[in-house]
Amino acid sequence: MSIADFLAGVHPWDRLPVADLGAVAAVTQPHSFAAGEAIYRAGDPLKGLYIIRSGEVEVTDPDGAPLSSLGPRNVFGERGLMRDGAALTNARAVAATEILLLPTQHFRAMIDRDAAMHDFFARSRPPRALQRSLTQTPVAALMSKAPKAVSPDTTLAEAAVIMRDDRISSLMVVKDGALCGILTTRDISARVVAERLDPDTPVSRVMTADPVTLPPDAIGSDVLHLMMERGIGHVPIVSEAGLAGVVTQTDLTRFQAESSSEIIRDAAHAPDADALADITRRIPQLLAQLVGAGHRHDVTTRLVTDIADAVTRRLLALGESHLGPAPVPYLWLACGSQGRREQTGVSDQDNVLMLSDDATEDHDAYFSDLARFVSDGLNHCGYVFCPGDMMATNPRWRQPVRIWRKYFQGWIARPDKEAQMLASVMFDLRPIGGDHSLYAGLQTETLAESARNSIFVAHMVSNSLGHAPPLGLWRGLATVRSGEHRDRIDLKLNGVVPIVDLGRIYALRGQLTAVNTRTRIESAQTAGVISASGARDLLDAYDLIAQTRLDHQALQVRRGEAPDNFMAPATLSDFERSHLRNAFVVVRTMQSALAQGRALP
């Protein structure tokens, strides 16, 4: 396959016109690396953008801690190129690997010439780039929850009590449903306390009447410019229907300051679980910020998951500090959404411990205490206990490697209902902290053994079809029929989970080591497990469903609500519902092809 043909199947080059794609391919250079060979080291000048044509690349931080494992069609090195041209990480070939190198000068020329290319690679920059994203962010992504409102005849004393109890810096003053003024803590200080007004004075005497406002379609920079020009710290947002929200200086500061890198930095130095819990409480705001800034769902969930990884590693370190060094090597692994790097604003914990085969029964007391310390800490930080007890605190999921190997062999040899469920969970394992060598080879070995057992694969396929997209009759969407989520779509169980299941089956059939769902589908296309058109359709469907789920959660966060996975179809326009339904149809089509054992479209 020519370089141009290969790049035509890799995003974002697949969006380039044929002539531009040919020009890029003409200057792209193939390079080969042997297993274990360094591609570059942190601090080295980058030669260009790296695209994996075949093989596997491990990316680690400057201290050698693993960050990611990349396969064919993945791109790396862009973060350094988008900054000063120096590598921010280490990269080495895990297996014999062929790399396509787009030299630096040609990479820069490409992103300077093509705005879409620039935007794509800019999304991979360090999250601090969000400090300059107010020009791209609607005020709806910045607004505080529905602001507190009072009537003009409310007394200053009553207003002060409300502001104190609700810990807010402003009150909207509303008359006959319309905004007529705003009262801030600055007003109370300068106009009430300083002038010693009677506490029974109505707020109408002190408020800023007819405050300047902005509409919901304004952008963040509009708010900032207005604040600078008028010397104000609060801007009400008013739509035709009335008061919609308020943006404060605190909202802008939080938006510009919050980033996953800073949260991870703080987590890495947290002294205890209480401090970590304070840090993870910033995650919903980060999620809303990332979504509001236009980041793709897989970028957002990757950054959110990186925080969970950092919190887990810090708890492991704190646990060892409290309990003493581990008696034998161990490895903490995550499964579920954390394992796949797909965490959103709603996540429980799914984790296991693999111990060195040197471990004895006498060592279990230590690892039991370590597992409890970390699991309790995660729960304290908002990663609630797994309702199915899929945690390292369960002795069943805290075993030496030889036992784990027997587990997988038994599930494959005897694929009953429980074995299918457990195998599905365990195929999403990803090392988080400890001795990574304990897992080396086990995943590849298990995939190969699974793929050879046609009965096991058939059972796994059947199990994966248990989650159906929410398609109703007459081109409608099927909603939850009863309970607190009645008339809503479960965007997790009936939305993204069917696609997660499909990606896992493709990885099983192709013996693909990728764990992330999007990467699994892309790798399955490269490996010929599914066709290019089928992969594109499924990826487009996945992107729409997963993005809809994140948009829903971000909206809940901005309203001050706890995010969940249940969305009312009525909140979507007819156009949005139609496209969402089409995405679910694609998923059902791919499920049907899988069930019938025919070639995937």
Side-chain angles (χ1 to χ4, degrees), residues 138-149:
V139 294
L142 301 170
M143 290 191 311
S144 301
K145 62 181 180 180
K148 205 77 173 180

Side-chain angles (χ1 to χ4, degrees), residues 437-519:
S437 69
L438 296 177
Y439 190 55
L442 182 57
Q443 182 190 31
T444 303
E445 172 189 322
T446 302
L447 284 171
E449 192 170 343
S450 301
R452 288 194 297 267
N453 189 320
S454 58
I455 296 176
F456 174 77
V457 174
H459 277 281
M460 288 291 289
V461 169
S462 175
N463 187 59
S464 73
L465 301 177
H467 300 111
L471 292 170
L473 298 174
W474 310 112
R475 300 190 59 79
L477 292 170
T479 59
V480 178
R481 295 184 178 181
S482 61
E484 60 176 318
H485 303 302
R486 183 181 178 184
D487 297 330
R488 285 173 168 76
I489 298 172
D490 187 338
L491 288 171
K492 177 184 178 181
L493 192 62
N494 302 115
V496 298
V497 167
I499 305 174
V500 169
D501 290 340
L502 286 170
R504 190 181 297 114
I505 295 300
Y506 299 153
L508 176 59
R509 285 186 164 178
Q511 300 182 44
L512 309 172
T513 57
V515 175
N516 175 264
T517 298
R518 205 174 197 287
T519 306

